[in-house]
Structure formats: structure tokens, C-alpha cells
Amino acid sequence: MNLQAAITRINAIHWESVGTSSSEIEADLAREFLRRLALFFRDMSTRTLPPFIANVANILGDEQEIEISNYCNVEAMGTHGSNVYVYKVFEYYLQLAKLADQDHGYVDYLLIYEPFIKIFEREGLVVLKPGELNVVGCAHIPLNHWYDKFIDMEPLDLNNLEE
């Protein structure tokens, strides 16, 4: 159920329009993703990893990595699917959704990826550059000491995003 919902959600993104929306909301969503990931590392009491190689399902013990092309239309992702870091985060999201189907106790961890997915649903785009997360058209978020910067950040209410 979680995996199917994740697949449907990714395939429903208007990939041909990704990168055409640029506002402070997408930057806020990127920061919220980093905040949620920092909280995960704190709560798990595990070594912090760089945000775009942090596979939550793997950290939780799932070693059965998946290939996104087995589940989603990667051709529709176009050049965004060839952005290895974007591609990997979507794979991590699917892997976690599959794990949550096997053990419902992991469902809440899917919320870590929610802000990241929303960026793309809103037709925004993030690109990882050396030492920073570039929210195309609106923000450059430095990633040096990212955990310390985002662990105490106020949460973003995703239900009240202004257009």
C-alpha cells in the first residue's frame, strides 16, 4: 500500500515542468527535509551522513536496495532522473515505502521525505552542488555542518504552504 502510493505519487509528478517553479516555499521545503533528516539521525543516535547519501531504510536495517526503474517511469523523469542525487533520494523513498509495507512501524519515517517530494510536485527543482543544495531559482543552502544548522530549526507546517 505505501509502496504503491509512493510509485503513483512519483509517476504523477509533471517532470516536463520540473524546474519551472521557483519560490521561497521550495527553499523552505528543502530546509524542512534537512531538518527532518537531522531529527532522524538524532533520534536514531547514529552517525550523521551527508543528506543525499542518507538512505533511511538502509539505516533502519533494510539492505534490499531497489532500482527505481523497476517501479517508476524514469524516462518521464528526463534529465532530472539522470541527476544521480535526485534519483537516489527517490529510490530511498521507494525503498522505505516498501519496508513500511512489510512492517507498519516504519510508516512514520516516510514523513522525512515528504518535503523533498513536495518540491518536485510543486514543479521546483533541487540540485546538489559541491557543499550546497541549490534550490533552482531561489536559494543556495550550504551543507557544511548541515546537521547543526537544521536540528533546532522550527518545523514547517506543510499543510499551510502559501502559493
Side-chain angles (χ1 to χ4, degrees):
M1 179 164 94
N2 295 297
L3 178 59
Q4 189 54 52
I7 292 167
T8 300
R9 191 169 181 191
I10 292 169
N11 284 330
I13 292 172
H14 299 284
W15 290 100
E16 69 283 354
S17 299
V18 165
T20 62
S21 177
S22 174
S23 74
E24 190 59 31
I25 293 172
E26 283 76 32
D28 288 343
L29 287 165
R31 290 181 193 100
E32 178 63 10
F33 168 67
L34 294 170
R35 184 192 74 82
R36 290 179 182 198
L37 192 56
L39 288 174
F40 169 75
F41 281 113
R42 184 196 67 196
D43 293 347
M44 292 301 296
S45 300
T46 189
R47 181 177 66 97
T48 304
L49 297 171
F52 287 86
I53 63 166
N55 180 339
V56 172
N58 189 264
I59 294 166
L60 291 170
D62 182 26
E63 296 180 12
Q64 297 180 357
E65 294 182 14
I66 65 164
E67 289 289 327
I68 194 170
S69 59
N70 292 336
Y71 299 92
C72 296
N73 183 352
V74 292
E75 289 79 26
M77 294 173 91
T79 58
H80 311 300
S82 64
N83 178 334
V84 68
Y85 295 105
V86 168
Y87 191 82
K88 291 308 276 181
V89 172
F90 279 99
E91 276 187 342
Y92 300 158
Y93 174 61
L94 290 172
Q95 182 181 350
L96 183 58
K98 185 175 180 182
L99 180 63
D101 281 345
Q102 295 166 0
D103 184 337
H104 192 69
Y106 294 118
V107 168
D108 288 344
Y109 292 110
L110 289 168
L111 295 175
I112 295 168
Y113 294 104
E114 182 68 19
F116 186 86
I117 304 301
K118 275 197 176 300
I119 292 169
F120 290 84
E121 289 175 333
R122 294 175 50 85
E123 299 176 355
L125 176 62
V126 296
V127 177
L128 184 65
K129 294 193 172 187
E132 75 177 25
L133 178 60
N134 180 11
V135 183
V136 175
C138 65
H140 300 278
I141 302 169
L143 293 177
N144 57 326
H145 308 290
W146 73 273
Y147 175 87
D148 297 324
K149 291 177 187 173
F150 294 101
I151 191 66
D152 294 322
M153 186 180 101
E154 288 294 317
L156 177 67
D157 184 356
L158 299 186
N159 295 319
N160 291 319
L161 296 177
E162 295 181 20
E163 290 302 315

